[in-house]
Amino acid sequence: MREPGERAGAPAVLDQIDRVVLRELQRDGRISYAALAEATGLSAPAVRQRVQRLRDEGVVQIVGVTDPMALGLPVMALIGVRVDSDVHAVASRISELSGVIYVVLTSGSFDLFVEVVCREPAELLAMLNDHIKRVPGVTRAEAFTYFGIHTHRFARPGV
């Protein structure tokens, strides 16, 4: 089994039943195998095997998604980071910081985008100045504070 974010060489081949399974899991990750069986026309054991295969192939992860506001983390920001060394090494270091929930390698003005959640603005300032900017290889970090989340979607159209 691959780690989250680790990709196989070739894209997974999905049939129509896989797409139905994925669509239903995106709607409700806790859906029962019996309900998935009804939606697909397969038996519950056959659906369980499909879900396991999709998990093993890294196509889907079934996780609990938390609401940062409900957890007392109302300060959220996207931080654009420029790097002058190995971007993978810098991304790995930043990924270890508490409060970092998402790190992506990008192109354009920034080498990385880092999403963080914090309890208060002072914690965001410390994250930026005391932690991210001090990671060896970071040359610039710019925070874009969130005022609110307009759309947060987990279902991909067409699945």
Side-chain angles (χ1 to χ4, degrees), residues 139-157:
T139 61
R140 180 174 178 216
E142 182 176 346
F144 301 89
T145 304
Y146 298 175
F147 294 120
I149 297 173
H150 182 274
T151 303
H152 193 196
R153 189 177 289 137
F154 294 100
R156 184 182 78 73

Side-chain angles (χ1 to χ4, degrees), residues 13 18 48-58:
V13 177
D18 291 331
R48 186 189 63 73
Q49 288 178 336
R50 286 230 182 202
V51 170
Q52 188 60 52
R53 179 182 53 81
L54 292 168
R55 291 179 66 201
D56 291 346
E57 291 177 357

